[in-house]
């Protein structure tokens, strides 16, 4: 019962957040110096065209009215039309967003697969060579921008060793996974550094707790103590952090998709920026923010599953 | 002899290793940033069409790029730009966010509730995506990048300041200030501020490292510093088609980014450690 109420409450809390996201994305285009239509059409635009676009977009009405119209369109799934690609923004994003989601999911998996064992190793060998080596490597990794890690991996594993394709997305699902491996690894490296650091600290804290001493004292094998008691409790704060990092991951995906020429929502956004295609920029920003807020919801639920006390 | 030992160990604790290493690296890089021409062997934009994409040699220690520009000189001149990004992108968020956060934390009540909601909403935006979107609308360039970062970034300082002030305002010395009849502004800025500033300065250091990563990423995407300005991200973008044939074009700017980031985070760690032991 508690749990159900908690889930309901969290879903209701999502509504003001989504409204705020809509408001920011709406205001974004109004930050444009001058009026959006002339900015979209460039310097050589005809006044008639400018007026027509302003009217089509409803930009000649008062701001609050425009916002309500914007919300009404959103509710109908109408994000406007792309100026460059002459297609509805929603269908463009519907084609591209799954690619970004797959990339993000893969990199999250790789990051966890890297961070979990290394965090244990570092924590159990605290302040010894392995710990210092792992932490030092990750510290350097954290100081490297995503696009540069991507270019390095691309050059070495793609162009030099030819183990992986240097870009693109493939045609089959297996092909997708193959094409996305290097970009996913690129994103995973910085995320795993953050997760590793946090998990190592959490493990060190949990290992000192009395219930761990007790589990050990009652003769549980070390492996069971580590997995059932230490890992589960250490994971709680790491799950929170993981959720908070999803935004960073998606931001990184925008850059990575550009480096590896992957047809995802991030690359769509960057290309639309170059083409001054503001409805698409607006739409992708909105969708990526919505994805993040849904992930926050999911991580909150995952936390409750790990520690039911949190729902009260 | 016995007296000298504790004295020496105390002095060592005042300057922990990360602070010495990080601070030293940072000082050296600031020197490069302030006086690039004194260290760079060539001008950053002087073309030499007789020396295109030359590998590192005695004449060009880091080689030359596809326009025959000296990579070392461009990396050095980029210090002015990238260090400027680190400072300019974060200094206003630091001061503004800290002050606003301290005031909100001291006031509490309604202001704090509203601010909490604002923070929750802002962190749902992927930071980089939002900054890119704002730059997209304002137009590429450094100034617009500072604006875009500033619009979002102050919230993180304010959140930290709120949390710190909430603890400090309940302590006896704040209570004493109120009993003395000091104005809230005086209590917040003269008395509480010195006690909350350390974690904010530490965060500022991390943030400057992040700003360098962000600045070079935007430069790479063509949304930050504009070519032909020497900036590490721009340099790497210029080099991306020559990664395999002219590795020196991208490797040296890449190393510069890593070193700059490392020195900021080491200095931050060092400051944190110093302040902890002093407390």
């Amino acid at each position: 019962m508690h749990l159900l109420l908690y889930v309901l409450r969290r879903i209701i809390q999502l509504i003001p957040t989504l409204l705020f996201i809509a408001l920011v994305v709406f205001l974004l285009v109004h930050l444009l110096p001058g009026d959006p239509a002339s900015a979209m059409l460039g310097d050589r635009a005809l006044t008639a065209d400018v007026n027509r676009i302003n009217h089509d977009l409803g930009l000649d009405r008062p701001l609050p009215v425009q916002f309500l119209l914007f919300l009404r369109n959103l509710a109908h799934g109408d994000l406007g039309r792309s100026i460059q690609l002459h297609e509805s923004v929603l269908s463009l994003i519907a084609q591209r967003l799954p690619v970004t989601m797959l990339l993000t999911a893969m990199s999250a998996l790789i990051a966890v697969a890297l961070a979990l064992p290394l965090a244990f190793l570092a924590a159990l060998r605290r302040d010894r060579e392995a710990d210092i080596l792992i932490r030092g490597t990750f510290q350097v990794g954290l100081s490297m921008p995503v696009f540069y890690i991507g270019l390095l991996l691309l050059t070495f594993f793609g162009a030099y060793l030819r183990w992986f394709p240097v870009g693109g997305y493939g045609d089959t699902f297996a092909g997708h996974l193959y094409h996305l491996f290097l970009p996913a690894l690129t994103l995973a490296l910085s995320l795993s550094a953050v997760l590793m650091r946090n998990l190592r600290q959490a493990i060190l804290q949990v290992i000192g707790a009395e219930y761990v001493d007790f589990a050990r004292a009652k003769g549980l094998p070390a492996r069971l103590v580590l997995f059932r008691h230490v890992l589960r409790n250490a994971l709680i704060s790491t799950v929170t952090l993981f959720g908070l990092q999803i935004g960073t991951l998606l931001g990184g995906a925008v850059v990575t998709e550009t480096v590896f020429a992957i047809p995802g929502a991030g690359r769509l956004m960057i290309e639309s920026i170059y083409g001054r295609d503001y409805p698409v920029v607006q739409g992708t920003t909105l969708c990526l923010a919505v994805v993040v807020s849904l992930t926050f919801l999911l991580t909150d639920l995952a936390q409750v599953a790990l520690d039911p006390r949190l729902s009260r | 002899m016995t007296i000298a030992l504790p004295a020496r160990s105390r002095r060592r604790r005042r300057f922990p290793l990360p602070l010495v290493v990080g601070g030293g690296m940072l000082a050296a890089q600031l020197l490069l940033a302030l006086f690039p021409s004194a260290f760079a062997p060539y001008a950053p934009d002087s073309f030499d069409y007789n020396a295109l994409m030359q590998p590192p040699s005695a004449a060009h220690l880091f080689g030359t790029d596809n326009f025959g520009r000296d990579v070392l000189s461009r990396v050095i001149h980029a210090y002015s730009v990238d260090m400027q990004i680190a400072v300019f992108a974060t200094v206003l968020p630091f001061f503004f966010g800290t002050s606003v956060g301290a005031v909100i934390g001291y006031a509490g009540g309604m202001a704090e509730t509203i601010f909490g909601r604002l923070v929750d909403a802002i962190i749902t935006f992927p930071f980089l995506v939002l900054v890119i979107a704002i730059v997209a609308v304002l137009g590429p360039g450094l100034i617009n990048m500072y604006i875009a970062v500033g619009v979002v970034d102050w919230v993180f300082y304010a959140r930290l300041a709120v949390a710190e002030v909430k603890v400090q305002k309940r302590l006896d010395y704040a209570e004493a200030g109120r009993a003395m009849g000091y104005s809230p502004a005086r209590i917040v800025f003269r008395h509480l501020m010195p006690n909350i500033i350390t974690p904010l300065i530490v965060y500022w250091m991390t943030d400057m490292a992040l700003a360098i990563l962000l600045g070079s990423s935007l430069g790479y995407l063509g949304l930050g510093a504009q070519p032909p300005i020497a900036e590490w991200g721009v340099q790497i973008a210029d080099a991306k088609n020559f990664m395999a044939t002219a590795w020196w074009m991208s490797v040296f700017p890449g190393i510069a980014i890593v070193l700059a980031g490392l020195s900021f985070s080491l200095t931050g760690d060092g400051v944190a450690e110093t302040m902890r032991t002093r407390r």
Side-chain angles (χ1 to χ4, degrees):
Chain A
M1 199 53 209
H2 261 310
L3 217 61
L4 196 67
L5 274 178
Y6 175 78
V7 174
L8 271 178
R9 205 174 59 219
R10 268 306 269 110
I11 291 176
I12 292 171
Q13 277 175 359
L14 202 59
I15 296 170
T17 310
L18 292 179
L19 275 176
F20 180 81
I21 292 175
L23 179 68
V24 170
V25 169
F26 166 77
L27 288 177
L28 202 60
V29 166
H30 292 270
L31 280 175
L32 273 175
D35 70 315
S38 11
M40 286 174 196
L41 294 175
D43 301 330
R44 278 172 291 176
L46 300 169
T47 323
D49 288 338
V50 171
N51 289 339
R52 183 176 51 78
I53 290 219
N54 275 334
H55 185 74
D56 285 353
L57 298 175
L59 294 170
D60 46 1
R61 304 200 208 184
L63 217 53
V65 178
Q66 284 186 43
F67 183 55
L68 288 178
L69 280 175
F70 179 73
L71 282 183
R72 198 193 63 187
N73 291 342
L74 272 188
H76 288 103
D78 179 6
L79 290 172
R81 289 186 72 78
S82 158
I83 298 169
Q84 239 186 341
L85 302 165
H86 306 290
E87 211 178 319
S88 99
V89 173
L90 190 71
S91 75
L92 275 175
I93 292 175
Q95 293 160 26
R96 305 289 200 99
L97 195 62
V99 182
T100 306
M101 297 311 294
L102 182 62
L103 172 65
T104 320
M106 269 179 80
S107 54
L109 274 179
I110 297 176
V112 171
L114 281 174
L116 266 184
L118 289 177
F120 264 104
L121 189 66
L124 298 179
R125 298 262 186 284
R126 182 183 187 173
D127 291 333
R128 305 240 291 269
E129 289 88 348
D131 181 28
I132 293 168
L133 184 71
I134 291 172
R135 282 197 292 157
T137 313
F138 276 109
Q139 184 68 48
V140 173
L142 270 181
S143 311
M144 234 184 238
V146 169
F147 72 90
Y148 190 59
I149 299 179
L151 280 176
L152 288 181
L153 292 179
L154 184 78
T155 310
F156 190 68
F157 292 105
Y160 181 67
L161 291 178
R162 297 184 186 275
W163 288 359
F164 292 97
V166 290
Y169 184 51
D171 299 319
T172 58
F173 186 68
H176 297 337
L177 294 183
Y178 180 50
H179 278 80
L180 288 185
F181 182 76
L182 276 189
L185 183 64
T186 304
L187 278 177
L189 287 179
S190 30
L191 176 62
S192 65
V194 179
L195 293 181
M196 204 281 301
R197 199 161 55 176
N198 180 272
L199 193 57
R200 174 184 172 276
Q201 203 56 40
I203 291 172
L204 285 176
Q205 250 164 31
V206 174
I207 271 182
E210 278 181 5
Y211 59 82
V212 173
D213 286 343
F214 180 72
R216 220 180 263 160
K218 75 181 179 189
L220 273 187
R223 186 184 304 177
L224 272 186
V225 176
L226 278 185
F227 281 99
R228 203 179 284 168
H229 296 275
V230 175
L231 181 60
R232 181 169 174 153
N233 285 291
L235 269 183
I236 294 173
S237 74
T238 311
V239 167
T240 316
L241 184 74
F242 183 76
L244 287 173
Q245 288 292 320
I246 289 296
T248 316
L249 205 55
L250 278 174
V254 173
V255 179
T256 314
E257 285 174 8
T258 312
V259 172
F260 286 89
I262 299 163
R267 182 146 169 259
L268 177 67
M269 182 180 179
I270 298 293
E271 280 170 355
S272 317
I273 292 175
Y274 297 146
R276 295 176 170 230
D277 198 343
Y278 294 108
V280 181
V281 176
Q282 218 177 11
T284 41
T285 310
L286 182 89
C287 288
L288 292 176
V290 170
V291 168
V292 174
S293 55
L294 292 180
T295 319
F296 280 1
L297 177 69
L298 286 182
T299 45
D300 277 5
L301 299 184
Q303 258 181 318
V304 173
L306 280 172
D307 185 354
R309 285 173 303 180
L310 290 172
S311 69
R312 277 171 217 158
Chain B
M1 280 309 272
T2 44
I3 300 165
L5 272 172
R8 196 194 299 163
S9 75
R10 198 181 305 143
R11 187 181 329 160
R12 195 185 297 158
R13 207 182 297 150
R14 201 185 301 158
F15 293 113
L17 192 64
L19 188 62
V20 175
V21 177
M25 280 162 65
L26 206 56
Q29 297 177 68
L30 278 177
L31 216 58
L32 289 178
L34 290 174
F35 310 105
S37 310
F39 297 95
Y42 301 90
D45 44 7
S46 77
F47 301 94
D48 181 357
Y49 287 109
N50 296 317
L52 301 184
M53 290 209 275
Q54 294 292 308
S57 64
H60 300 282
L61 284 178
F62 287 4
T64 61
D65 69 5
N66 51 325
F67 293 109
R69 295 173 297 193
D70 181 54
V71 174
L72 173 64
S73 304
R74 286 182 67 74
V75 167
I76 291 176
H77 277 273
Y79 272 103
S80 325
V81 180
D82 283 271
M83 288 289 164
Q84 181 202 324
I85 291 174
V87 176
F88 283 15
T90 56
V91 68
L92 276 180
F94 170 68
F95 282 109
F96 182 73
T98 305
S99 319
V100 170
V103 170
I104 290 175
Y106 192 74
M110 199 55 185
E112 201 189 315
T113 314
I114 295 175
F115 176 73
R117 285 288 141 79
L118 181 72
V119 170
D120 286 347
I122 286 186
I123 59 172
T124 52
F125 276 97
F127 183 70
L128 186 61
V129 173
L130 190 56
V131 168
I132 289 179
I134 298 175
V135 171
V137 170
L138 295 178
L142 287 180
I143 306 280
N144 289 340
M145 187 181 95
Y146 299 149
I147 297 174
V149 173
V151 167
V152 192
D153 201 29
W154 69 272
V155 175
F156 299 102
Y157 291 94
R159 186 168 61 161
L160 202 56
V162 168
E164 292 288 324
V165 163
K166 269 171 72 179
V167 176
Q168 295 288 331
K169 75 175 178 186
R170 293 204 181 83
L171 298 183
D172 284 343
Y173 76 94
E175 199 55 60
R178 280 189 287 273
M180 298 280 284
Y182 292 161
S183 69
R186 178 163 175 178
I187 295 174
V188 170
F189 290 102
R190 293 270 305 268
H191 299 269
L192 300 187
M193 197 56 89
N195 292 296
I196 68 161
I197 202 71
T198 311
L200 284 148
I201 291 179
V202 172
Y203 181 72
W204 190 20
M205 291 288 160
T206 326
D207 203 30
M208 285 201 265
L210 291 176
I212 288 185
L213 295 191
L214 181 87
S216 60
S217 299
L218 289 185
Y220 175 80
L221 291 172
L223 300 171
Q226 296 296 306
I229 293 180
E231 190 275 334
W232 300 321
V234 173
Q235 275 189 283
I236 295 175
D238 288 343
K240 72 178 175 223
N241 295 324
F242 312 105
M243 289 286 290
T245 45
W247 55 267
W248 53 90
M249 277 176 65
S250 60
V251 163
F252 293 113
I255 293 174
I257 296 177
V258 173
L259 287 182
L262 268 183
S263 51
F264 277 114
S265 33
L266 281 177
T267 311
D269 287 352
V271 172
E273 212 171 294
T274 317
M275 295 301 177
R276 249 200 313 275
T277 43
R278 200 169 283 172
R279 273 182 191 181

